[in-house]
């Protein structure tokens, strides 16, 4: 039996948009200390360095903004600016959950399948978004992990008693949603998001189990084709 697992952020609902809007505010706050390209590049570098410490999510992003601002101002960051950066982070943690186009039709069409939700990041924030989405009753299993690696997917599969070859993972992030699942022998479906994070981008794999869709509502047709060929039945 084919198990269909979905990523959450920027696959089921909008997320990266809020990071981009906050970065715009961050660039404006530091306009007197560096040009926009430098501010963005330094922030990205700081985020990547801090992933092992803070993990993924808005809280780590907020701390990385403060650290970057301290570095760019030579440690002379006004308290008012720190307060503004904290407020920006808090705004992001309260942002509304808006489902992306095609999500509801796709899930409705796949209701007869075993559906999972596998997301990563801060547990409290992810739980808030899952609850606010109203989608949780549609999933047989919901997993929140710190990172998406072959090992983390393998642990989920072992707990559920599902073979990797019977897993189809759908997501917008090539590095997190597709490549680790292909490495285990599963099926990876990439649904790109216009505002995808550079850290999650990678070249298309040369693998017959890799598929790309323009919209999530194209997924039911792909599942039917795979099942008619005997894959994942």
């Amino acid at each position: 039996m084919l198990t269909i697992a979905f990523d959450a952020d920027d696959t089921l609902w909008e997320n990266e948009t809020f990071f981009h809007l906050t970065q715009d505010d961050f660039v404006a706050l530091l306009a007197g200390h560096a040009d926009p390209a430098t501010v963005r590049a330094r922030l990205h570098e700081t985020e990547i360095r801090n992933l092992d410490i803070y993990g993924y999510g808005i809280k780590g992003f907020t701390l990385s903004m403060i650290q970057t601002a301290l570095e760019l101002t030579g440690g002379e960051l006004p308290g008012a600016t720190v307060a503004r950066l904290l407020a920006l982070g808090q705004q992001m943690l309260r942002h509304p959950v808006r489902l992306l186009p095609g999500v509801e039709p796709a899930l409705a069409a796949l209701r007869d399948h075993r559906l999972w939700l596998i997301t990563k990041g801060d547990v409290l924030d992810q739980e808030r978004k899952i609850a606010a989405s109203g989608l949780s009753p549609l999933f047989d299993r919901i997993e929140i992990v710190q990172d998406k690696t072959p090992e983390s997917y393998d642990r989920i599969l072992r707990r559920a008693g599902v073979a990797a070859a019977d897993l189809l993972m759908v997501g917008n992030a090539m590095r997190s949603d597709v490549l680790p699942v292909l490495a285990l022998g599963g099926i990876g479906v990439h649904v790109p998001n216009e505002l995808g994070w550079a850290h999650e981008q990678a070249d298309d794999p040369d693998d017959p189990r890799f598929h790309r869709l323009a919209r999530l509502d194209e997924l039911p047709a792909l599942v039917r084709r795979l099942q008619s060929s005997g894959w994942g039945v």
Side-chain angles (χ1 to χ4, degrees), residues 25 28 42 44 50 52 115 121 130 134 145 150 157 191 200 205 227:
D25 289 336
R42 291 287 294 273
H44 179 72
N50 286 339
D52 289 341
L115 303 182
I130 291 168
V145 297
L157 290 166
V191 186
E200 295 286 4
Q227 291 189 307

Side-chain angles (χ1 to χ4, degrees), residues 128-142:
R128 175 190 68 83
K129 288 185 284 189
I130 291 168
S133 75
L135 299 177
S136 56
L138 303 179
F139 295 104
D140 301 289
R141 192 179 192 94
I142 295 176

Side-chain angles (χ1 to χ4, degrees), residues 39-59:
V39 174
R40 293 180 191 278
R42 291 287 294 273
L43 176 57
H44 179 72
E45 292 167 3
T46 304
E47 282 185 88
I48 301 305
R49 287 201 311 271
N50 286 339
L51 283 177
D52 289 341
I53 305 171
Y54 304 136
Y56 295 86
I58 293 170
K59 294 175 185 175

Side-chain angles (χ1 to χ4, degrees), residues 79-118:
T81 303
V82 175
R84 175 59 180 156
L85 294 175
L86 290 172
L88 288 174
Q90 291 166 358
Q91 288 174 17
M92 292 178 71
L93 288 166
R94 291 192 292 264
H95 71 68
V97 174
R98 294 196 282 258
L99 299 182
L100 292 170
V103 168
E104 291 175 294
L107 293 175
L110 296 168
R111 198 179 295 265
D112 293 336
H113 292 77
R114 182 166 53 198
L115 303 182
W116 290 0
L117 177 63
I118 305 177

Side-chain angles (χ1 to χ4, degrees), residues 186-209:
I187 303 167
V189 180
H190 189 216
V191 186
N193 185 282
E194 184 180 353
L195 295 177
W197 188 25
H199 178 65
E200 295 286 4
Q201 295 173 4
D203 294 333
D204 287 3
D206 182 15
D207 191 315
R209 294 163 300 150

